[in-house]
Amino acid sequence: AGPCDIYASGNTPCIAAHSTTRALYNAYTGALYQVKRGSDGTTTDISPLSAGGVANAAAQDKFCSNTTCLITIIYDQSGRGNHLKQAPPGGFKGPEANGYDNLASAIGAPVTLNGKKAYGVFMSPGTGYSNNAASGTATGDEAEGMYAVLDGTHYNGACCFDYGNAEISSTDTGNGHMEAIYYGDNTAWGSGAGSGPWIMADLENGLFSGSSPANNPGDPSISHRFVNAVVKGGPNKWAIRGGNAASGSLSTYYSGARPSVSGYNPMSKEGAIILGIGGDNSNGAQGTFYEGVMTSGYPTDATENSVQANIVAAKYATAPLTSGTALTVGSSISLRATTSGYTTRYIAHTGATINTQVVSSSSTTALKKQASWTVRAGLANRDCFSFESVDTPGSFIRHADFALVLAANDGTKLLHEDATFCPQTGLNGETSSIRSWSYPTRYFRHYENVLYIASNGGVHTFDSATSFNSDVSWVISNGFA
Ligand code: AHR
Ligand code: AHR
């Protein structure tokens, strides 16, 4: 059985079932998600390998080879058509054209399930999905349940990495107009024990970790690589549960009455569905989603415990984030441009600016050092890499406002994430492309000889689709110095 078969037998059926990694019903053979490729703008649907099975990641890899792909639709497997698509502007605008949010890269979150490759939805700040016309979702004070399998190492403190029930207008219409799972270390409203991240409930104008709108020490920090986050709510009762999605059982972190502050009892749920954003399209948060559902009715703990066992049996595990030219930690490398007319230029720095410069064996020692980078284990994720300046030890290539700059390692989580990059086989078919870990739609790209992290056809000038593949492909060799 799949998670939604278990919820159905508990008389709390799924009314929305979303996953890019696997079918959530034993009999489901339909599309899991849609991807769109950058080369020609065409789309394709990715389905399970077999009924109830893992996604056909090989079909995605084939469709997306030598180009970029975005996840455009996460289909609802419940049959209600509650698909998730690019979120529109609401109280806040997204970074994409017309105020829409960004779409996620199709390759930011590779995993295996029972040894079979699949991709989750790695959502950078600015990314969001929603359905403002969902059917069968709880409205008013009606009961519902939900779970989401997330990456417990990918989060931040911005508002709000959510999955669940929200406003149909993408605006803040008041307390109690949402009921969604929140995951991250935001402390603007509630918080739990330790320094986070926490599973909380976003009930609008507040992230709740228990009955108090502030700190509730019963809600622990939880950061397993794969987290199962559970929230449910009904008339004057709600609960937060959680656990390791790769082993063991669920714990209950809160179960009791609605918050003591006004506006949350009764609830005024509106029934839209959001992923990766707040109810008003606040879109500064980040996180990774693998699968999740929403139910009609308040699931029993026993039903949720069976779903947890099902998720554990799916055996989520990590998969490589890199491909192409292998890099050796501690070695010095230089990176040469491959765009016709620029092939004598290497990635270098002039002060804080990262640029390309013409470098050769007869260049000065100073320039050779400026064009040489020591490979380090990724500061935010050791499955990827960071690049330390040979002539300025302690300083790394990072992105800031999507430009690459040289910056001292200040020890912050943001710098570590901004300075972590995942090389892959070059988009031009050979060589290497250097993907940002934290913005996997974006790659090292030279534009007017200055380096950015660029997406293929995004809103910035440097995102131009013209010569994108060659501008993001580099020949990596031993460092000049
Ligand atoms: O409840 C926290 C956040 O507050 C909601 O997600 C958002 O709509 C509002 O800004
Ligand atoms: O480069 C994009 C973002 O811009 C970085 O993550 C952040 O440091 C800056 O605000």
Side-chain angles (χ1 to χ4, degrees), residues 396-417:
F396 289 80
I397 298 177
R398 75 172 289 182
H399 61 86
D401 293 330
F402 308 114
L404 288 182
V405 294
L406 189 67
N409 181 0
D410 61 9
T412 61
K413 179 169 172 279
L414 183 64
L415 180 130
H416 290 173
E417 293 180 350

Side-chain angles (χ1 to χ4, degrees), residues 101-480:
D101 291 343
N102 289 140
L103 293 164
S105 164
I107 58 168
V111 288
T112 58
L113 280 72
N114 276 306
K116 297 192 176 93
K117 188 176 177 189
Y119 292 101
V121 188
F122 185 105
M123 301 178 72
S124 311
T127 309
Y129 293 82
S130 66
N131 184 324
N132 285 350
S135 81
T137 43
T139 58
D141 209 29
E142 287 172 1
E144 64 179 348
M146 59 197 95
Y147 82 84
V149 176
L150 308 171
D151 179 344
T153 66
H154 183 214
Y155 60 89
N156 70 11
C159 177
C160 291
F161 187 74
D162 290 350
Y163 173 68
N165 194 319
E167 288 96 338
I168 56 175
S169 60
S170 306
T171 60
D172 179 349
T173 52
N175 295 1
H177 284 245
M178 297 178 61
E179 185 168 71
I181 295 164
Y182 166 81
Y183 184 72
D185 65 352
N186 183 298
T187 55
W189 296 282
S191 59
S195 55
W198 304 283
I199 302 166
M200 297 193 273
D202 190 342
L203 304 180
E204 189 51 276
N205 298 314
L207 303 176
F208 290 87
S209 53
S211 66
S212 157
N215 182 267
N216 292 284
D219 193 30
S221 295
I222 177 168
S223 57
H224 307 290
R225 175 61 180 76
F226 297 100
V227 166
N228 182 8
V230 177
V231 166
K232 53 186 166 181
N236 200 27
K237 63 176 178 182
W238 68 288
I240 302 174
R241 308 184 72 212
N244 183 342
S247 76
S249 54
L250 287 177
S251 299
T252 300
Y253 301 146
Y254 178 76
S255 181
R258 288 289 183 182
S260 44
V261 282
S262 74
Y264 302 99
N265 191 18
M267 294 286 284
S268 309
K269 294 175 232 185
E270 296 191 21
I273 305 175
I274 52 171
L275 173 60
I277 50 180
D280 56 6
N281 195 40
S282 297
N283 54 36
Q286 65 184 21
T288 296
F289 176 89
Y290 299 103
E291 61 174 76
V293 311
M294 298 169 66
T295 70
S296 170
Y298 196 84
T300 63
D301 285 2
T303 295
E304 290 164 348
N305 295 345
S306 298
V307 170
Q308 162 71 7
N310 177 280
I311 295 165
V312 169
K315 285 202 166 46
Y316 273 92
T318 57
L321 282 162
T322 62
S323 61
T325 307
L327 296 185
T328 305
V329 170
S331 69
S332 168
I333 60 167
S334 291
L335 302 97
R336 183 173 63 75
T338 63
T339 311
S340 169
Y342 298 85
T343 56
T344 56
R345 305 184 75 95
Y346 289 78
I347 296 177
H349 77 97
T350 304
T353 301
I354 308 289
N355 51 25
T356 61
Q357 299 188 50
V358 177
V359 188
S360 71
S361 54
S362 51
S363 296
T364 63
T365 301
L367 180 56
K368 286 179 178 171
K369 285 187 170 177
Q370 285 161 11
S372 299
W373 306 94
T374 306
V375 177
R376 300 294 183 201
L379 293 171
N381 185 321
R382 300 178 67 83
D383 294 336
C384 294
F385 298 95
S386 294
F387 302 104
E388 184 177 5
S389 168
V390 164
D391 78 348
T392 314
S395 286
F396 289 80
I397 298 177
R398 75 172 289 182
H399 61 86
D401 293 330
F402 308 114
L404 288 182
V405 294
L406 189 67
N409 181 0
D410 61 9
T412 61
K413 179 169 172 279
L414 183 64
L415 180 130
H416 290 173
E417 293 180 350
D418 289 350
T420 298
F421 300 96
C422 310
Q424 65 179 67
T425 302
L427 291 191
N428 68 358
E430 38 183 345
T431 68
S432 293
S433 291
I434 318 290
R435 193 173 74 246
S436 164
W437 174 80
S438 54
Y439 288 83
T441 59
R442 297 183 170 277
Y443 294 84
F444 274 26
R445 194 247 178 98
H446 64 99
Y447 192 87
E448 294 179 344
N449 302 326
V450 175
L451 266 287
Y452 299 89
I453 50 165
S455 65
N456 192 358
V459 295
H460 306 94
T461 312
F462 56 77
D463 294 328
S464 169
T466 304
S467 81
F468 185 83
N469 277 14
S470 46
D471 286 356
V472 301
S473 295
W474 305 88
V475 175
I476 298 179
S477 60
N478 290 334
F480 281 106

Side-chain angles (χ1 to χ4, degrees), residues 37 44 46 56-67 69 119:
R37 66 184 174 198
T44 197
I46 305 300
N56 186 353
Q60 175 185 309
D61 290 342
K62 186 166 181 230
F63 182 76
C64 302
S65 70
N66 300 135
T67 187
C69 268
Y119 292 101

